């Protein structure tokens, strides 16, 4: 057991992380790449890094992904 | 199939050709008054459906039920519709029109839900409660001897290494548990600025813990 895993993850920063503004700016593009499984993370590593670390942006991403994949009901 | 919404814009030159459905939306929204009105109505119905699902998806976490949820979905759909009509000229065809439009209603729901946080019994921003930290990070109380030094060092780093603003935001987000968007609204700033402040704070704290030999730059070192 590693009781520090969560704290470790929290304090880990990814230099590729683009921040909320850029991630939100391209969220509609990124979501479609994810929905179509066409290399979203490879094409936009900075957005992928951001969504791993930012709760609110990843929540918005989940909501938009559910909307476009029709899992919204 | 290479349609417009497959493109990310990195190597495309010239105008992006829209998929027929997106082109249809744009034509109708810029068309004659009856067409436009019909399209706006259809778009509103879509936004309301997405808004309702999104409100429902988030409802468990923000503790609102019943008619208030539906009010929130209606407000989000109405605000999203106005923003979309206002910004339709910005749509570049990088995704389907509906995906671009849904983003507006998702972000409206997100913003409205975060404002809702402050309607709960008022949470003071500055409760500096380090007792909550182990629970927040799932540290086992039975194994306190293993993480006591780490938490003490983290606390020292927060007090000594962070700027006043970084410390304030760390305390609110991590120790008090204020959601980032709610904190941004309270401080009159935005999510991005809060995130950047915390990003720098996280980097400083990790460096301090690494300097103390408690954590390295990669994985955590077990004591
Ligand atoms: Zn973010």
């Amino acid at each position: 057991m590693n009781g520090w895993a969560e704290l470790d993850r929290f304090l880990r920063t990814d230099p590729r992380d683009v921040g909320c503004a850029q991630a939100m700016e391209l969220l509609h593009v990124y979501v479609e790449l994810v929905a179509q499984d066409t290399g979203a993370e490879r094409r936009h590593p900075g957005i992928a890094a951001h969504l791993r670390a930012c709760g609110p942006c990843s929540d918005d991403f989940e909501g938009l992904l559910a909307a476009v994949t029709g899992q919204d009901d | 199939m290479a349609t417009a919404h497959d493109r990310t814009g990195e190597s495309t030159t010239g105008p992006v050709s829209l998929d027929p459905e997106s082109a249809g939306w744009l034509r109708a929204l810029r068309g004659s008054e009856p067409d436009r009105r019909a399209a706006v109505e259809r778009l509103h119905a879509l936004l309301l459906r997405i808004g309702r699902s999104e409100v429902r998806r988030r409802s468990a976490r923000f503790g609102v039920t019943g008619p208030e949820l539906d009010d929130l979905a209606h407000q989000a759909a109405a605000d999203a519709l106005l923003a979309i009509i206002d910004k339709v000229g910005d749509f570049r065809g990088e995704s389907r029109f509906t995906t671009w439009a849904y983003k507006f209603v998702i972000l409206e729901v997100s913003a409205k839900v975060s404002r809702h946080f402050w309607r709960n019994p008022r949470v003071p921003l500055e409760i500096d409660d380090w007792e909550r930290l182990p629970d927040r990070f799932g540290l086992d109380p039975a194994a306190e001897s293993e993480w006591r030094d780490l938490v003490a060092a983290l606390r020292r780093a927060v007090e000594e290494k962070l700027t006043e603003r970084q410390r304030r935001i760390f305390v609110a987000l991590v120790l008090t548990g204020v959601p980032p968007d709610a904190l941004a609204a309270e401080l009159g700033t935005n999510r991005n600025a809060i995130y950047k402040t915390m990003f720098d704070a996280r980097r400083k704290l990790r460096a301090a813990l690494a300097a103390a030999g408690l954590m390295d730059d990669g994985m955590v070192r077990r004591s």
Side-chain angles (χ1 to χ4, degrees), chain A residues 1-15 17-29 31-33 35-36 38 43-44 49-50 53-64 66-68 70 72-73, chain B residues 5-8 10 49-50 53-54 56-58 61 94-96 99-100 102-103 106-107 110 136-140 146-147 150 154 170 174 180-181 191-192 195-196 198-199 202-203 205-206 209 214-215 217-223:
Chain A
M1 179 212 102
N2 189 343
W4 297 5
E6 213 177 318
L7 185 58
D8 176 61
R9 203 165 53 85
F10 172 71
L11 293 178
R12 186 189 297 276
T13 51
D14 189 329
D17 190 329
V18 293
C20 304
Q22 266 197 62
M24 289 298 103
E25 181 69 33
L26 280 180
L27 193 68
H28 55 295
V29 177
V31 153
E32 286 195 348
L33 294 174
Q36 297 158 1
T38 44
R43 291 201 216 180
H44 298 287
H50 183 71
C54 180
C57 287
S58 112
D59 209 8
D60 294 344
F61 164 76
E62 294 296 336
L64 189 55
V68 302
D72 53 283
D73 298 298
Chain B
H5 57 266
D6 285 326
R7 300 186 190 176
T8 53
E10 57 241 1
R49 182 169 66 79
I50 300 297
S53 309
E54 182 60 4
R56 223 172 17 246
R57 194 180 71 84
R58 296 180 187 243
R61 270 172 297 150
E94 300 162 310
S95 71
R96 277 171 294 172
T99 304
W100 178 80
Y102 292 166
K103 184 168 85 169
I106 298 291
L107 296 185
S110 181
R136 161 79 175 74
F137 288 107
L139 297 170
D140 180 5
E146 290 181 28
W147 49 257
L150 177 72
L154 178 64
F170 178 93
V174 179
D181 283 344
R191 182 191 294 182
N192 193 57
Y195 186 82
K196 286 209 179 309
M198 269 305 275
F199 186 88
R202 285 157 58 210
R203 211 170 39 194
L205 294 173
R206 184 162 198 114
L209 294 178
L214 290 161
M215 208 176 248
D217 286 334
M219 280 308 293
V220 171
R221 189 182 304 141
R222 294 298 309 275
S223 54

Side-chain angles (χ1 to χ4, degrees), chain B residues 13-155:
Chain B
T13 50
V16 173
S17 62
L18 293 176
D19 63 286
E21 197 199 328
S22 300
W25 276 108
L26 290 189
R27 217 169 24 248
L29 287 170
R30 291 162 175 166
S32 64
E33 193 46 34
D35 282 359
R36 204 189 73 88
R37 201 174 311 140
V40 166
E41 236 169 74
R42 202 153 55 91
L43 183 56
H44 181 256
L46 274 179
L47 295 172
L48 184 56
R49 182 169 66 79
I50 300 297
R52 279 180 165 141
S53 309
E54 182 60 4
V55 163
R56 223 172 17 246
R57 194 180 71 84
R58 296 180 187 243
S59 64
R61 270 172 297 150
F62 75 107
V64 172
T65 50
E68 221 183 324
L69 280 183
D70 211 45
D71 282 355
L72 209 146
H74 272 279
Q75 287 167 26
D79 291 350
L81 183 64
L82 288 178
I84 290 165
I85 290 169
D86 187 44
K87 291 182 176 157
V88 71
D90 296 347
F91 175 64
R92 299 271 167 261
E94 300 162 310
S95 71
R96 277 171 294 172
F97 174 78
T98 47
T99 304
W100 178 80
Y102 292 166
K103 184 168 85 169
F104 285 84
V105 74
I106 298 291
L107 296 185
E108 284 293 342
V109 169
S110 181
K112 288 180 196 324
V113 165
S114 70
R115 262 174 252 143
H116 208 274
F117 174 81
W118 296 113
R119 292 180 29 193
N120 299 331
R122 193 82 181 165
V123 185
L125 272 185
E126 301 287 350
I127 290 187
D128 189 332
D129 190 356
W130 282 88
E131 300 295 310
R132 294 166 76 165
L133 187 108
D135 187 49
R136 161 79 175 74
F137 288 107
L139 297 170
D140 180 5
E144 191 185 339
S145 61
E146 290 181 28
W147 49 257
R148 192 190 298 122
D149 289 351
L150 177 72
V151 170
L154 178 64
R155 182 174 188 167

